[in-house]
Amino acid sequence: MPAPRKSLVSLQDTPYYHCISRCVRRAFLCGLDQLTGKSYEHRRGWVEQRLLHLAEIFAIDICAYAVMSNHLHVVLHVDLDKAKRWSDLEVIEQWHRLHKGTPLTQAFIQGDSLSKAKKQELTKQIIEYRSRLCDISWFMRALNEPIARMANKEDECKGRFWEGRFKSQALLDETALLACMAYVDLNPIRAKISDTPIDSTFTSIQRRIQAKLKGVQPKELMKFNHQDVNEHEKCLPLGMRDYIKLVEETAFSLVHHNSERLVKSERILMGLNLPCENWLRLCSRFSKMFKGPAGNLMALTEYCQRLDRRRRQGAANSAKWLTPNKDETG
């Protein structure tokens, strides 16, 4: 049986998670239906628009995403500190952007006076909403359910659009995080839908490159390390220019089956303590290499111990590809 979601998420170990949702029907319901020739490409826009909208509501940042023909990849960062900083009013306002709430929350927003008993009940509701607004399961539910309803209405049918459960994968260190982000951003390259990241539609890397050309970082996505980030803002452990360069050189290597261009990014990979061979392998086969949590061997061991998991799934690949130094694996 699939493991309960609570046994896969450990925010003490990492706030970063790679999630995958897949369509269940035979047709390419977010792309071109090969049987009928009808295009459903516009639905990829639905998914992207909804995904970026939810990033404005939840205390969850989007690190990377790729909306493919029949599945979705997204790398998320759970920001518990952000959720804790929200006032009670802000929590309710954020929740009301998703749902209309209850008569009690509506009364609070309107400034109505509340009895002591109602205030106590309101406090319980706020605690619950605050928890939901930094919960990956609630985020994915808020993403997938509206898309399924819209697709079913368009198809004039009923039933599931997505698989019952989305896959959730813990990313336990910086190397695993950045490799997984690149793996996600390079999905259209590996699928031979596009040859370059800038031409990869419905991906975070295209949005980041377009923002870079304007000299900014996309506000909808989690920012890379930069001097302009404020004191409360969490950021990704690399410069945006370095990441984009690394993904572009990796894309060229995958398309042309030539890793010589990747040598230009050797300085970046050295900072990750990762040889070029390892990086290319991770960017090509990340989901196949790691069915469960991904990270160096020490991080993987600590994660499994904390969640009382007897088997370190992916330990061999972790030791070989994410823990290159013998000092770390021994």
Side-chain angles (χ1 to χ4, degrees), residues 24-43:
V24 295
R25 301 177 195 157
R26 186 171 70 160
F28 279 69
L29 294 181
C30 291
L32 179 66
D33 187 334
Q34 301 294 336
L35 296 177
T36 65
K38 185 175 181 180
S39 175
Y40 296 95
E41 189 73 6
H42 59 283
R43 292 180 181 174

Side-chain angles (χ1 to χ4, degrees), residues 174-179 182 212 224-225 236-250 261-280 282-283 324:
E174 293 182 359
T175 303
L177 167 64
L178 294 169
K212 175 194 169 189
F224 282 95
N225 195 4
L236 293 163
L238 196 65
M240 184 176 73
R241 291 181 181 275
D242 283 345
Y243 177 77
I244 290 175
K245 178 183 177 182
L246 185 56
V247 172
E248 288 176 334
E249 301 298 347
T250 305
R261 282 271 296 268
L262 195 56
V263 174
K264 296 181 179 179
S265 299
E266 189 173 10
R267 173 187 59 82
I268 305 170
L269 293 176
M270 286 178 63
L272 298 175
N273 197 23
L274 208 62
C276 291
E277 177 191 1
N278 291 33
W279 176 258
L280 279 175
L282 290 166
C283 291

Side-chain angles (χ1 to χ4, degrees), residues 50-314:
R50 179 67 177 176
L51 181 64
L52 298 176
H53 174 63
L54 293 178
E56 299 176 353
I57 298 174
F58 282 78
I60 295 177
D61 304 305
I62 300 172
C63 305
Y65 70 85
V67 185
M68 303 300 289
S69 294
N70 61 354
H71 66 283
L72 161 74
H73 288 268
V74 59
V75 179
L76 301 174
H77 169 261
V78 181
D79 193 345
L80 284 179
D81 292 336
K82 182 178 182 180
K84 291 176 182 178
R85 289 196 303 269
W86 281 338
S87 66
D88 290 350
L89 177 61
E90 287 174 320
V91 169
I92 293 178
E93 287 176 338
Q94 291 296 96
W95 185 253
H96 281 184
R97 296 175 68 180
L98 278 176
H99 305 284
K100 65 179 182 180
T102 65
L104 191 56
T105 61
Q106 291 290 347
F108 178 74
I109 288 289
Q110 294 168 10
D112 296 348
S113 59
L114 302 175
S115 66
K116 183 178 180 180
K118 287 185 176 180
K119 286 181 179 179
Q120 291 176 342
E121 181 61 28
L122 178 64
T123 298
K124 294 179 182 178
Q125 290 182 9
I126 291 172
I127 292 173
E128 181 65 23
Y129 292 162
R130 196 186 300 272
S131 174
R132 291 177 181 179
L133 287 169
C134 53
D135 187 295
I136 292 175
S137 291
W138 275 92
F139 183 96
M140 296 300 292
R141 174 181 175 179
L143 170 63
N144 288 344
E145 284 188 359
I147 302 301
R149 286 196 296 267
M150 292 167 67
N152 283 351
K153 182 178 180 180
E154 186 176 64
D155 291 341
E156 297 181 345
C157 70
K158 297 180 180 179
R160 290 187 180 275
F161 180 82
W162 305 98
E163 289 181 350
R165 282 172 59 93
F166 66 92
K167 178 183 177 182
S168 176
Q169 178 182 43
L171 304 173
L172 303 174
D173 59 28
E174 293 182 359
T175 303
L177 167 64
L178 294 169
C180 185
M181 286 176 58
Y183 170 82
V184 169
D185 279 328
L186 290 167
N187 255 259
I189 305 292
R190 292 193 309 277
K192 299 183 179 179
I193 297 173
S194 60
D195 291 331
T196 62
I198 187 62
D199 295 326
S200 300
T201 54
F202 305 106
T203 63
S204 53
I205 190 62
Q206 184 188 61
R207 188 169 290 270
R208 290 192 188 279
I209 293 173
Q210 291 172 342
K212 175 194 169 189
L213 295 175
K214 300 176 184 178
V216 297
Q217 296 200 50
K219 63 180 181 179
E220 307 92 345
L221 304 177
M222 188 174 186
K223 291 183 178 180
F224 282 95
N225 195 4
H226 193 268
Q227 60 184 7
D228 292 337
V229 297
N230 63 53
E231 60 178 326
H232 294 303
E233 195 171 16
K234 305 288 178 63
C235 58
L236 293 163
L238 196 65
M240 184 176 73
R241 291 181 181 275
D242 283 345
Y243 177 77
I244 290 175
K245 178 183 177 182
L246 185 56
V247 172
E248 288 176 334
E249 301 298 347
T250 305
F252 182 90
S253 299
L254 293 175
V255 170
H256 298 281
H257 306 287
N258 186 341
S259 61
E260 290 182 6
R261 282 271 296 268
L262 195 56
V263 174
K264 296 181 179 179
S265 299
E266 189 173 10
R267 173 187 59 82
I268 305 170
L269 293 176
M270 286 178 63
L272 298 175
N273 197 23
L274 208 62
C276 291
E277 177 191 1
N278 291 33
W279 176 258
L280 279 175
R281 178 83 172 185
L282 290 166
C283 291
S284 301
R285 300 176 56 82
F286 194 92
S287 284
K288 292 183 179 179
M289 294 167 64
F290 300 100
K291 300 295 184 182
N296 67 64
L297 202 54
M298 182 180 295
L300 179 62
T301 300
E302 291 177 354
Y303 169 86
C304 291
Q305 288 176 345
R306 192 183 304 277
L307 295 181
D308 196 25
R309 303 180 70 175
R310 297 181 181 180
R311 180 169 173 261
R312 295 181 303 173
Q313 186 179 17

